[in-house]
């Protein structure tokens, strides 16, 4: 037998009862470490406010779903995401309910970024190889995802007054550890 998918009409007048379970709302409120106790009246008001917010969000999403080329009766995730992105008073939810992006668009963008990085690395590597000789250890070239390149100074050129570097150097000297790869067996 199919489920009852008829919408529950919103109440026109206050009845003193909530549609959301009050005990669940109290459990959610108790999860907040800043709130030690919450009265029944406060929990009731929070429940009513949550119901009104959900009603507003669903009405907005339903309106947007009816404005589409092919109107639907049911609300989908993309309708809620579109409602959040189109209305300023719901803007605070953009991080929680992001808009959906087709996989094809993400894949194309990733391929374009990879091609850009690959071309920048080869171009920068050729230009920098002439400027910064790495054979004598004077520096290393870093190319970031935005196509800009910068050089890092070699260990000897780093600031001597940096306490973290000094501590790391002293720990290496005290332990007698070398900066080589260690073979792991097992």
């Amino acid at each position: 037998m199919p489920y009852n998918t008829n919408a529950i009409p919103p109440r026109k007048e206050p009845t003193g009862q909530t549609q959301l379970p009050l005990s669940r709302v109290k459990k959610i409120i108790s999860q907040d470490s800043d709130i030690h106790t919450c009265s029944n009246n406060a929990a009731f008001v929070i429940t009513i406010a949550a119901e009104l917010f959900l009603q507003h969000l669903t009405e907005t999403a339903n309106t947007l779903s009816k404005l589409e080329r092919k109107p639907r009766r049911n609300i989908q995730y993309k309708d809620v995401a579109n409602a959040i992105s189109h209305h300023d008073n719901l803007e605070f939810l953009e991080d929680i309910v992001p808009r959906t992006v087709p996989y094809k668009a993400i894949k194309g963008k990733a391929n374009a970024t990879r091609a850009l990085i690959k071309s920048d690395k080869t171009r920068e590597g050729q230009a920098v190889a002439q400027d910064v000789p790495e054979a004598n250890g004077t520096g290393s070239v870093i190319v970031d995802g935005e196509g800009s390149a910068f050089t890092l100074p070699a260990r000897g050129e780093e600031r001597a007054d940096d306490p973290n570097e000094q501590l790391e150097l002293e720990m290496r000297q005290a332990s007698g550890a070398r900066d080589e790869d260690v073979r792991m067996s097992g």
Side-chain angles (χ1 to χ4, degrees):
M1 184 184 289
Y3 292 107
N4 183 6
T5 58
N6 295 335
I8 299 172
R11 295 188 181 136
K12 302 294 181 198
E13 60 202 43
T15 62
Q17 294 180 341
T18 61
Q19 292 178 349
L20 294 175
L22 191 58
S23 60
R24 271 291 155 88
V25 175
K26 285 182 182 179
K27 283 182 183 179
I28 293 170
I29 293 170
S30 68
Q31 296 296 317
D32 190 1
S33 61
D34 295 338
I35 300 173
H36 299 292
T37 57
C38 182
S39 68
N40 288 336
N41 292 337
F44 178 76
V45 170
I46 291 170
T47 305
I48 296 294
E51 287 179 5
L52 290 173
F53 173 72
L54 287 173
Q55 183 179 353
H56 171 69
L57 181 64
T58 53
E59 284 175 356
T60 307
N62 189 25
T63 303
L64 284 178
S65 70
K66 287 182 179 179
L67 293 175
E68 285 186 355
R69 195 169 30 125
K70 212 173 163 184
R72 291 175 274 109
R73 283 188 60 204
N74 296 337
I75 297 174
Q76 297 177 353
Y77 176 88
K78 65 180 180 178
D79 300 324
V80 177
N82 285 336
I84 289 171
S85 66
H86 283 94
H87 291 281
D88 292 338
N89 61 347
L90 299 173
E91 185 177 323
F92 68 97
L93 292 173
E94 282 184 346
D95 293 336
I96 298 168
V97 185
R99 293 186 75 176
T100 56
V101 180
Y103 178 71
K104 191 179 205 181
I106 293 173
K107 191 174 179 181
K109 190 174 181 181
N111 289 338
T113 304
R114 280 191 204 108
L116 179 67
I117 290 172
K118 187 175 180 181
S119 67
D120 285 344
K121 279 185 180 179
T122 57
R123 191 171 1 126
E124 292 293 332
Q126 292 169 354
V128 174
Q130 299 166 355
D131 299 339
V132 182
E134 293 185 29
N136 60 5
T138 58
S140 61
V141 178
I142 305 293
V143 178
D144 65 0
E146 297 172 357
S148 60
F150 57 93
T151 59
L152 291 177
R155 286 255 184 221
E157 297 175 3
E158 290 179 359
R159 292 180 25 184
D161 59 343
D162 186 14
N164 291 333
E165 290 295 322
Q166 185 179 0
L167 180 63
E168 184 179 320
L169 179 65
E170 289 174 2
M171 287 177 59
R172 267 193 258 127
Q173 289 174 349
S175 66
R178 292 174 272 168
D179 289 338
E180 297 176 352
D181 290 338
V182 178
R183 288 196 151 256
M184 302 295 283
S185 60

